[in-house]
Every structure is written in structure tokens, then in C-alpha cells.
Amino acid sequence: MSHLADETLSGLPAIAGGTPAFAQRLPLVRPSVPDPRVILSDLEDILASRVLTNGPIVRRFEERCAETLGVAHCVAVSSCTAGLMLVLRAAGMEGEVVVPSFTFAATAHAAVWNGLTPVFADIDPHSLTLSAEAAASVLSDRGSAILATHLYGAPCDTDALEQLARARGVRLFFDAAHAFGSIRGGVPVGRFGDAEVFSLSPTKLLVAGEGGLIATNDDELAERCRIGRDYGNPGDYDCRFVGLNARMSEIHAALGLASLASLEARVARRNDLAEQYRDGLRAVPGVSFPRIRDEDRSTYKDFTILIEQDTFGLNTGALARALEAEGIDTRRYYAPPVHATHAYRAWDPGPGRLPVTERAAGRCLTLPMWEGMGDQDPPLVAAAIRRIRSHANAGGAGSPAR
Ligand SMILES: *Cc1c(COP(=O)(O)O)cnc(C)c1O
């Protein structure tokens, strides 16, 4: 696609004494912020009105999001974590909730904060999202819900999960933290399952500083979430259930509105950058990508690659250290997987029970991805990875491993 993808770096990798690919560090993320002038008049209105939280700007933000997603209700909340907690509470879930382990911890936290038991299910080896087959195999009579994550912005297999939830009579929710702007088979993420919950924190696509958004077509569930974000108090101080303070402030909603205005352009930009990464890395032995169907769109909240040690010549941790020396920031999303963290010892299904998750956790490496990155950055990162590989043990000096 781009001539820049042909860029090569001469000399040794930085970790072996060569010149770093990036003289100035390339950060993993850099949140997009609006021009202050865009929110200034909202800010003046908010301060003049003295309505500081859950007021008219929040209502406007909810309406715009609902229009954008084509969903009946959007309920703005203080975070995605709080939104997930509320949805499970508002839907009256009991017993067990099936969750992936290859996700951010907050997915499972929402279940545990409700006194529910998280039951971890394995992922699909190609998409790395929750496998409906694996979910079916761990869903017991005590299960009341499935909570799946649209990973890195790549939509889950919503059809298979909806079919499973219907067949087994359980509710289906999505942790859509990464996925405002994702599309599954022509349908925007936000319309699937019983509810989907977005994050509006700075590293996500739609940014309000802090915040979350519950999207649902279920009138009753939406109403209970609205009451639930206000302690469970519908206004008469006779709390209907034990809710939270999960309100969104007016200032956050103003930021969210500004972010929504530029969302499409930013998703498009990230898809271009992802394509450049793939162009530069496609032919590198030992590097692969999670699969995204042609008919779907990811937001690329993260751009994650998978490293096969035998063919690449280095393991993932060693590559991360070599990239660090090149001035390239990376993360291991998601290692350790949730079930292997200290907090989840009590719910760890035990060794070998989540083989695909464990394999992905051992191989995943997330590369820098943000809209303001330069066109030259992905090709240069790819060139740095190729240079590191060509000097790795398996390949010898510059020769391919096979
Ligand atoms: C960021 C994130 C969350 C938490 O979102 P907050 O708005 O920070 O509460 C939940 N799930 C996933 C998958 C995330 O990446």
C-alpha cells in the first residue's frame, strides 16, 4: 500500500548497540482531545446553570449516542466498570456469569462486585474473542448471563453468542469498552445482546475523560440502569434496589459530545494505520494478527500482534525489551489473563483449562496506536521488528529462519 512500508533500518538493533529506530519515544497511546474552543460554550452554560451533573448536556450526549448507534436507549454513567456492575445488578443476575479471561480485569470485576461467580471460558484461536462453544461448555444451570468482550475493538461472534444465550435462556451482555465505532456485519456494536457497555476513559475511542455508556433496546433494563446510577433512587427516596452513584457529570458529557463529532474520522485513521502495520509485518515469519472478518470493522483501540517464538527467534518478552530499546512503547494485552491474576485465584479453573487463552497471553504484544501517529511510524516500527528478528538467534545474521 505504502512505499514507506519498504523502509528498512540498517545496522544492529538498538538492544545490540545500534541506533534506536525512534530518537524520540513512540508512546503506546496518546488520547485525542478536542480544541478547547469546542467545549467552551458548553462549559460556560454548565457553570452558569449550576447544574453540574446528570443534566441537559448528559441528556444531549445520550441522545446523540443513541442516534449514532441506532439503539433505543443510551444511559451515561461514570465509568464502564460501573456500567457493567449496574447492568448485571439491574438485570437481577444471580449465580454464575460466563466471562472470557483474555480481557481487561474490569469485565470479571463487574460480576464479582455483584456477588456473582465469574466462570472463565476460552477464546476462539483466530479472533481471540469469547468462543461460543467454550462458553456453552462451562455454562451450568447456575449460570444467568454471558458477558463477552469485543477485543481491541474487533466484534465478538455475536450471532453464535446470541444463539447460545437464547437456547439456554440466559442474558447476554457485552463489554464494549473498546468498541464505540465497531461494526459487525453492517450493524454497529451497541445493538447486540441485552445491553452493551462502552468506556469513555482516555485510552478508548470515545473519550469523556472518565465515563461509560450503557446501550440497550430493553426499556425496562434502561429504566432500572437510570435509577441504579442514582443510588437506586427513582426520585422519591424510596430506593427500589441497592444502586450506585454512577452519574456522569455535565463537563464529562461536553467532552464526550466533542469526541463523538470526530469519531468516524478517528476510526478511519486507525484502520489506515493498522493496514500499514499489516503491510510491514505480513511477511515476517513468526508474526501473526488476530483475525477480523472482511465484513466487520474494528476500532483498533489496540493493535496487537502474536509472536511465535520458534519461527520469530525470540519470545514475546524479549521482543518487547528489544522494542523498548528502539524507543517503542508496548504492552502485553492481555498477560497475565484475568484468571491467572492474584485477585482471581479463587475462580481460577486450573492449569490447562483455558489453553487458547494461555497461548494468546504468551504471544500477545500490543504496539503503539493512536490517531495522531505519523504515517511513517507504523512502517518504522515494522522495520524495527524485522531488524530485531533478522538478528535473533533462530534466523542468524539476516537470514530468514526458513
Ligand atoms: C478500559 C476497560 C474497562 C474499564 O473501563 P472504565 O471506563 O475505565 O471503567 C472495561 N473493560 C475493558 C475491556 C476495558 O479495556
Side-chain angles (χ1 to χ4, degrees):
M1 180 182 161
S2 150
H3 61 282
L4 287 169
D6 295 330
E7 183 159 359
T8 45
L9 286 171
S10 55
L12 290 171
I15 201 163
T19 308
F22 287 82
Q24 202 179 358
R25 244 188 121 54
L26 182 66
L28 187 80
V29 284
R30 207 155 162 262
S32 284
V33 293
D35 184 324
R37 282 168 299 188
V38 173
I39 62 159
L40 222 49
S41 76
D42 280 343
L43 210 52
E44 283 168 357
D45 291 349
I46 291 163
L47 297 178
S49 74
R50 277 147 167 93
V51 178
L52 301 182
T53 191
N54 203 21
I57 313 269
V58 171
R59 291 294 89 72
R60 205 201 312 158
F61 178 58
E62 291 176 330
E63 279 161 22
R64 294 272 166 84
C65 288
E67 274 165 32
T68 303
L69 299 173
V71 73
H73 307 279
C74 279
V75 181
V77 289
S78 55
S79 72
C80 176
T81 308
L84 291 167
M85 288 164 62
L86 262 183
V87 159
L88 294 176
R89 173 67 50 104
M93 297 296 90
E94 291 178 341
E96 299 175 352
V97 179
V98 174
V99 291
S101 173
F102 199 65
T103 179
F104 183 60
T107 316
H109 283 8
V112 175
W113 269 91
N114 275 291
L116 301 164
T117 303
V119 176
F120 292 106
D122 216 347
I123 49 174
D124 173 79
H126 306 293
S127 70
L128 308 186
T129 59
L130 183 67
S131 151
E133 215 173 289
S137 74
V138 297
L139 187 57
S140 80
D141 293 344
R142 292 181 300 282
S144 59
I146 298 167
L147 172 56
T149 301
H150 300 297
L151 195 74
Y152 315 133
C156 291
D157 186 348
T158 51
D159 309 323
L161 291 169
E162 284 180 342
Q163 207 177 348
L164 170 64
R166 246 192 326 271
R168 301 289 289 273
V170 299
R171 309 291 298 262
L172 175 63
F173 306 108
F174 291 98
D175 180 336
H178 303 171
F180 203 106
S182 296
I183 299 174
R184 170 83 184 174
V187 179
V189 163
R191 295 195 209 166
F192 296 100
D194 292 288
E196 305 210 52
V197 186
F198 299 99
S199 171
L200 314 181
S201 69
T203 62
K204 311 297 165 75
L205 264 289
L206 184 59
V207 174
E210 291 285 357
L213 194 77
I214 301 165
T216 180
N217 282 316
D218 181 330
D219 300 345
E220 193 194 333
L221 185 63
E223 189 49 28
R224 284 176 62 82
C225 288
R226 287 197 181 96
I227 295 170
R229 76 176 160 194
D230 220 353
Y231 315 100
N233 170 20
D236 59 6
Y237 291 88
D238 179 5
C239 285
R240 302 304 197 268
F241 58 96
V242 177
L244 286 171
N245 174 2
R247 294 181 306 246
M248 175 179 282
S249 84
E250 290 284 278
I251 295 171
H252 289 94
L255 274 169
L257 276 165
S259 180
L260 186 63
S262 64
L263 184 91
E264 269 304 313
R266 288 184 289 112
V267 173
R269 171 72 180 152
R270 297 171 87 99
N271 273 267
D272 285 348
L273 293 165
E275 194 52 37
Q276 293 208 39
Y277 266 133
R278 277 193 298 266
D279 280 350
L281 292 169
R282 201 178 332 261
V284 182
V287 176
S288 64
F289 317 102
R291 190 183 297 166
I292 297 165
R293 305 186 313 168
D294 287 343
E295 56 269 45
D296 297 345
R297 180 173 79 173
S298 175
T299 57
Y300 289 103
K301 185 278 188 187
D302 293 310
F303 186 84
T304 296
I305 60 174
L306 299 166
I307 301 302
E308 199 66 67
Q309 180 176 353
D310 290 349
T311 32
F312 189 79
L314 289 176
N315 68 25
T316 319
L319 174 58
R321 284 190 295 279
L323 288 172
E324 170 80 25
E326 301 286 355
I328 300 165
D329 203 10
T330 64
R331 291 286 187 290
R332 304 289 309 278
Y333 291 149
Y334 287 94
V338 182
H339 77 277
T341 62
H342 282 86
Y344 284 85
R345 271 193 191 145
W347 300 284
D348 182 350
R353 298 296 296 275
L354 300 167
V356 187
T357 296
E358 277 163 13
R359 208 172 131 69
R363 298 191 304 157
C364 62
L365 189 66
T366 301
L367 303 178
M369 173 58 87
W370 37 282
E371 298 101 48
M373 266 169 74
D375 285 337
Q376 72 285 358
D377 290 337
L380 199 53
V381 172
I385 291 172
R386 292 196 305 267
R387 177 167 80 171
I388 290 162
R389 181 183 179 278
S390 70
H391 289 84
N393 293 337
S399 67
R402 57 176 181 189

